[in-house]
Amino acid sequence: MTAAPDLDHMRAAARLALRGVKSNQGGPFGAVIVRGDVVVGRGFNRVLGTHDPTAHAEIVAIRQACRKLGTFSLAGCTLYASSEPCPMCLAAIHWARIERVWFACDRQDAARAGFDDAFLYEEFERAPRDRRLPVAQVFREEGLAAFQAWLAKPDRVTY
Amino acid sequence: MTAAPDLDHMRAAARLALRGVKSNQGGPFGAVIVRGDVVVGRGFNRVLGTHDPTAHAEIVAIRQACRKLGTFSLAGCTLYASSEPCPMCLAAIHWARIERVWFACDRQDAARAGFDDAFLYEEFERAPRDRRLPVAQVFREEGLAAFQAWLAKPDRVTY
């Protein structure tokens, strides 16, 4: 984990963001993942190019780094993002065990460019009943069997 | 968008969750995406099998549905999940424009099975400075050029 931010890595993330815009792959977002001084993942937004709403720069970079390193854990890594990670990407960063994030532009910059990141953060701050998207629990018993099978599995790998 | 939950779709999500556990692909989670009465996406957790920390059941199902339909928008769709979507998946559901979510087990059930979903929700409720993961803004100017290029792009597609 790098203690201080490295301008070169942020410049690389910014260059990726520009490349994504110029190649018509998606919005103006780039990300770089670094372990020590070594870049292990790079990505720019590909939502439009791949029809994948989850193909944000950070997610693309996480998937690339994990493929390259052959593991689902990026413990010890730092992520540089040209713009503040949205809640999806921030949670993905948690799941990937990335330990530090530096971002250049923030959610207000993204909002001025027409992106929903700030709205999404506000949704997460609301109580579930006050959110725009209806999300509700039903048929709880249906889901329990899979948890029971998981807990009974002697060779389960926790992640 | 289905107004009332359909037990058959939740059963399908639960079967997928069990299949994922049995095939050693990942944790006990399944998801189904429905448009009208037609299933357009299915997924189970593949974090272990693919070394991809973002391969949660909901994300796998969203990617499959978008690939199948050739669009990044799942407007009009409902998602059934065998367990409550984590913040990553919930935000992905927003970005995919899915309009309704039904889940069976909840974050407390997931916590009892050893998963971090509840912890992650608590992280999002904290102020950034109180979170465990350090996330900070630096070199803002580096990121701005990509936003300017985006806003100057006459053929940009908003999403």
Side-chain angles (χ1 to χ4, degrees):
Chain A
M1 192 168 68
T2 51
D6 182 324
L7 180 57
D8 285 344
H9 292 314
M10 191 62 91
R11 279 193 179 134
R15 272 197 304 273
L16 283 162
L18 260 177
R19 211 169 111 197
V21 174
K22 286 178 182 162
S23 64
N24 296 313
Q25 288 289 304
F29 305 98
V32 169
I33 299 172
V34 182
R35 177 175 277 167
D37 285 332
V38 181
V39 175
V40 294
R42 291 180 181 83
F44 52 76
N45 185 296
R46 293 178 176 270
V47 168
L48 301 173
T50 61
H51 302 309
D52 179 356
T54 74
H56 286 198
E58 299 90 330
I59 304 264
V60 172
I62 287 171
R63 296 175 90 195
Q64 190 193 80
C66 288
R67 213 162 38 233
K68 186 174 164 175
L69 301 173
T71 169
F72 56 81
S73 170
L74 299 177
C77 291
T78 295
L79 185 142
Y80 289 82
S82 66
S83 189
E84 186 177 3
C86 81
M88 174 177 75
C89 294
L90 188 59
I93 286 163
H94 272 283
W95 288 119
R97 315 292 183 212
I98 287 172
E99 293 179 23
R100 183 177 284 269
V101 177
W102 301 107
F103 64 85
C105 293
D106 59 25
R107 62 187 83 171
Q108 282 76 32
D109 294 312
R112 279 189 286 273
F115 293 94
D116 282 349
D117 305 57
F119 160 77
L120 258 184
Y121 271 104
E122 287 161 19
E123 278 283 287
F124 275 95
E125 285 161 13
R126 289 189 190 107
R129 74 174 60 87
D130 298 328
R131 292 182 190 156
R132 203 183 292 180
L133 177 71
V135 177
Q137 185 171 26
V138 283
F139 311 133
R140 174 166 174 267
E141 314 69 40
E142 296 300 317
L144 286 173
F147 281 120
Q148 287 155 359
W150 174 259
L151 289 171
K153 195 176 168 67
D155 60 342
R156 71 178 185 275
V157 179
T158 52
Y159 62 88
Chain B
M1 193 169 66
T2 51
D6 183 324
L7 180 56
D8 286 343
H9 293 313
M10 191 62 90
R11 281 194 177 134
R15 271 196 305 270
L16 284 162
L18 261 178
R19 211 170 110 196
V21 174
K22 287 177 182 164
S23 64
N24 296 313
Q25 289 288 303
F29 304 98
V32 168
I33 300 172
V34 182
R35 178 174 276 166
D37 284 331
V38 181
V39 174
V40 295
R42 291 179 182 82
F44 52 76
N45 185 296
R46 293 179 176 270
V47 168
L48 300 174
T50 62
H51 301 309
D52 178 357
T54 74
H56 286 197
E58 299 90 328
I59 304 262
V60 172
I62 287 171
R63 287 185 181 138
Q64 189 193 81
C66 288
R67 212 162 40 232
K68 186 173 164 176
L69 300 172
T71 169
F72 56 80
S73 169
L74 299 176
C77 290
T78 295
L79 184 141
Y80 289 81
S82 66
S83 189
E84 187 176 3
C86 81
M88 174 177 75
C89 293
L90 188 59
I93 286 163
H94 272 283
W95 287 118
R97 314 292 183 214
I98 288 172
E99 293 178 22
R100 183 177 284 269
V101 177
W102 301 107
F103 64 85
C105 293
D106 59 25
R107 63 186 83 170
Q108 281 76 32
D109 293 312
R112 277 189 289 273
F115 294 94
D116 281 348
D117 305 58
F119 160 76
L120 259 183
Y121 271 103
E122 287 160 24
E123 278 283 287
F124 274 95
E125 285 161 14
R126 289 189 190 108
R129 75 173 60 86
D130 297 328
R131 292 182 191 156
R132 203 184 292 179
L133 177 72
V135 177
Q137 185 171 25
V138 283
F139 311 134
R140 175 166 173 266
E141 315 70 40
E142 296 300 317
L144 285 172
F147 280 121
Q148 287 155 358
W150 175 258
L151 288 170
K153 194 176 169 66
D155 60 342
R156 73 177 183 276
V157 178
T158 51
Y159 63 88

